Amino acid sequence: MYMLGYMYEKGYGISMDISMAIYWYGEAAKLKFGKAYNTLGNIYEKGIGVQKDDKKAYEYYKNGADLGEISCYTNLGQMYENGQYVEENIHQAVYWYQRAVQKNCAKAQLALGKIYYYGMSPNYNFMEAIKLFQKSAEQGEAEAQVYLGLCYENGYGVVKDYVMAKINFEKASMQNDVLGSLYLGKIYMKENNINAALNCFLISLSKGSVDALYYIGKLYDKEEEENNNGNGNSNNGLLTSCMNTIGSDGLSKSLSSSSYLLTTDKNMALKYYLQAAEKGHSLAQYRLGNHYCQHKKYILALYWYLKSSHLSKSQNALGQFYELGLDSEFKKARKLTGLTLDCLLHYSIEQLYSLYNHYCQMVQTSNNNNNNNNNNNNNNNNNNEGEDDSEPRSNLKEAKKWYYRSILQGNADAAFNLGQLYETRCFDFSKLTGEEEEEENKSKTIKNEKMATDKNQESLSSRDEFTQPLPTHQLSPEEIAEGQSRYIQKAILLYEKAKKLGSKEAVERLKQLQFIAYH
């Protein structure tokens, strides 16, 4: 009866008919055949040909578990782990997984191993997780092979062993596992076996992996990879790249290693990065930010950096972006089009590039008009001269904000960059403090004005007292010098922080400062 139900479900030898399948599975279940209960549970849990019904699924799994059906133990564990129909309960999930593990169930070994691996259970036991992954992997469970490979690759609970990592990823990949192919491709990238890496990523991409899009982009973006590998700090290249002009003649440069058959192709890299970024891949968004920053398309760069701003490297990049005053293009666009940051972040990809092209056309038209009327407007321009948003002006408040966010995530480059900012721009920070005080006084004045207006019973003289502007505090040379000294001390503390986080640049700078102090 069970096999007859299976034939109807899969359409083997007869027309597929889920209703007939459920009928025969039900007949088998009446005879206390545990596997039938598990299959019926699967049908209702996944909604195969019927309306999804977690309650029925749970009841079938529970009845099957009462008969000792191992697969029902595992499925009950998953329902308790995920909070399907029943309230989420890790203790109950562990209980049912353990019952299945005692029967050597590979899926239960994997599921329980993941609970221990991620520390979801109070009885956290990482070594037990590795043992469970090993048992499950030996039975051919592809996902367990991936987890075991990750443990070997990163030295989680075992000695680092790239050979063992590669073996496990290969086993998973041979079973067409998406992550197995992806991680095997990354191993091949480290070995400079680019053809093998590309094949693995293409297999992973064919199964819908967004990560594969990003890594294929990296294969074509080898020029940036070499720059990152050559620098001590892979996250700290924005300052350098924005000060240098990037030539286009390197786009078709062949890679020197004989193992590379791909050529560096920035356009192909951007194509894959853009596809990944559109699907929410943060690292691809960060790379696009770098690219547009290097090519001085700062509105596009700002968009992608902000999209990935939960990454510490993007926060560091935003700190550098505002430190260099690269938001001047955005300010100009705000003047011309009324663009705001909120609007920018809500734009789709098509809207973003359409806006940018429209902005570039407006700038070009404006420049042409200025050139044609230059002689006539010279006097007017001189009389109306003010702050020019097209000229880069450091935004130290925003720079500090993003650097601090990055430091909180343990980014050594951000700590070093903020330290340098305090050390080299201490006069500007002292001036900024005075401006902040002036701004605070203005806001207090506005607030007091509003309070006075709201209180109709107060006299005019009393209201005048509220609306009188508070005097602006001008910093004396002594106060500026004191502020500069304070910021130098902050810089040293940040260098110490960067040193602890592994920054070689911070170590060198601290040595230089010590030498200056003693001599």
Side-chain angles (χ1 to χ4, degrees), residues 131-177:
K131 289 178 184 177
L132 288 164
F133 290 149
Q134 286 173 330
K135 289 178 180 178
S136 183
E138 286 168 3
Q139 295 187 68
E141 189 65 38
E143 192 177 350
Q145 291 163 348
V146 171
Y147 273 97
L148 194 56
L150 289 172
C151 289
Y152 278 115
E153 183 181 16
N154 298 293
Y156 297 155
V158 291
V159 177
K160 273 189 180 182
D161 190 333
Y162 285 109
V163 174
M164 286 301 297
K166 185 177 178 181
I167 288 171
N168 279 283
F169 292 147
E170 282 175 339
K171 287 179 180 178
S173 181
M174 287 173 68
Q175 297 187 66
N176 293 321
D177 183 82

Side-chain angles (χ1 to χ4, degrees), residues 146 186 215 316 395 471:
V146 171
K186 290 171 70 176
Y215 283 107
N316 178 47
N395 188 335

Side-chain angles (χ1 to χ4, degrees), residues 397-413:
K397 288 171 73 173
E398 281 295 305
K400 277 171 59 181
K401 178 184 84 174
W402 287 109
Y403 280 142
Y404 272 124
R405 288 185 182 182
S406 186
I407 292 166
L408 288 173
Q409 292 198 56
N411 190 299
D413 293 325

Side-chain angles (χ1 to χ4, degrees), residues 31 72 79 129 146 232 243 256 329 344 346 402 408 447 492 498:
L31 298 176
C72 287
M79 294 195 83
V146 171
M243 294 175 183
S256 58
E329 188 179 61
L344 181 67
H346 283 89
W402 287 109
L408 288 173
K447 185 178 178 181
I492 292 171

Side-chain angles (χ1 to χ4, degrees), residues 306-373:
L306 288 172
K307 281 287 185 181
S308 59
S309 61
H310 60 283
L311 297 178
S312 68
K313 56 172 67 178
S314 291
Q315 292 164 352
N316 178 47
L318 281 165
Q320 294 173 304
F321 189 89
Y322 283 108
E323 179 185 349
L324 291 169
L326 302 183
D327 59 331
S328 57
E329 188 179 61
F330 172 77
K331 290 177 182 176
K332 190 169 185 178
R334 184 173 59 195
K335 254 186 180 178
L336 291 173
T337 67
L339 179 67
T340 65
L341 275 181
D342 284 341
C343 286
L344 181 67
L345 288 175
H346 283 89
Y347 280 169
S348 66
I349 305 296
E350 291 78 12
Q351 289 172 327
L352 171 69
Y353 289 101
S354 174
L355 164 84
Y356 190 72
N357 289 334
H358 177 61
Y359 161 75
C360 290
Q361 289 171 3
M362 291 180 73
V363 170
Q364 185 63 44
T365 302
S366 176
N367 290 340
N368 290 339
N369 291 337
N370 287 338
N371 289 334
N372 292 335
N373 301 313

Side-chain angles (χ1 to χ4, degrees), residues 219-388:
L219 292 180
Y220 284 107
D221 197 16
K222 195 61 191 174
E223 191 173 83
E224 180 161 331
E225 289 301 298
E226 287 173 347
N227 290 337
N228 286 343
N229 293 335
N231 297 337
N233 298 316
S234 61
N235 299 339
N236 207 21
L238 182 60
L239 284 167
T240 305
S241 63
C242 287
M243 294 175 183
N244 297 321
T245 302
I246 309 284
S248 62
D249 56 343
L251 293 181
S252 60
K253 181 184 72 175
S254 295
L255 298 169
S256 58
S257 172
S258 61
S259 62
Y260 291 109
L261 295 182
L262 286 177
T263 56
T264 298
D265 188 337
K266 198 70 177 180
N267 290 329
M268 285 295 289
L270 289 174
K271 170 189 168 183
Y272 283 105
Y273 286 154
L274 192 57
Q275 288 180 53
E278 197 170 4
K279 295 178 186 294
H281 197 286
S282 301
L283 290 173
Q285 292 167 344
Y286 167 73
R287 291 253 175 165
L288 284 172
N290 283 351
H291 168 77
Y292 287 120
C293 212
Q294 290 165 3
H295 290 77
K296 300 182 180 180
K297 297 180 178 180
Y298 298 124
I299 292 176
L300 300 179
L302 181 62
Y303 175 86
W304 289 116
Y305 282 143
L306 288 172
K307 281 287 185 181
S308 59
S309 61
H310 60 283
L311 297 178
S312 68
K313 56 172 67 178
S314 291
Q315 292 164 352
N316 178 47
L318 281 165
Q320 294 173 304
F321 189 89
Y322 283 108
E323 179 185 349
L324 291 169
L326 302 183
D327 59 331
S328 57
E329 188 179 61
F330 172 77
K331 290 177 182 176
K332 190 169 185 178
R334 184 173 59 195
K335 254 186 180 178
L336 291 173
T337 67
L339 179 67
T340 65
L341 275 181
D342 284 341
C343 286
L344 181 67
L345 288 175
H346 283 89
Y347 280 169
S348 66
I349 305 296
E350 291 78 12
Q351 289 172 327
L352 171 69
Y353 289 101
S354 174
L355 164 84
Y356 190 72
N357 289 334
H358 177 61
Y359 161 75
C360 290
Q361 289 171 3
M362 291 180 73
V363 170
Q364 185 63 44
T365 302
S366 176
N367 290 340
N368 290 339
N369 291 337
N370 287 338
N371 289 334
N372 292 335
N373 301 313
N374 190 43
N375 293 330
N376 296 330
N377 293 333
N378 269 343
N379 292 333
N380 291 335
N381 289 338
N382 289 334
N383 292 335
N384 297 325
E385 188 175 353
E387 182 180 336
D388 184 2

Side-chain angles (χ1 to χ4, degrees), residues 11-31:
Y12 293 156
I14 49 178
S15 299
M16 188 183 297
D17 189 333
I18 198 67
S19 298
M20 290 300 294
I22 291 172
Y23 170 78
W24 287 111
Y25 285 144
E27 291 299 305
K30 288 176 184 177
L31 298 176

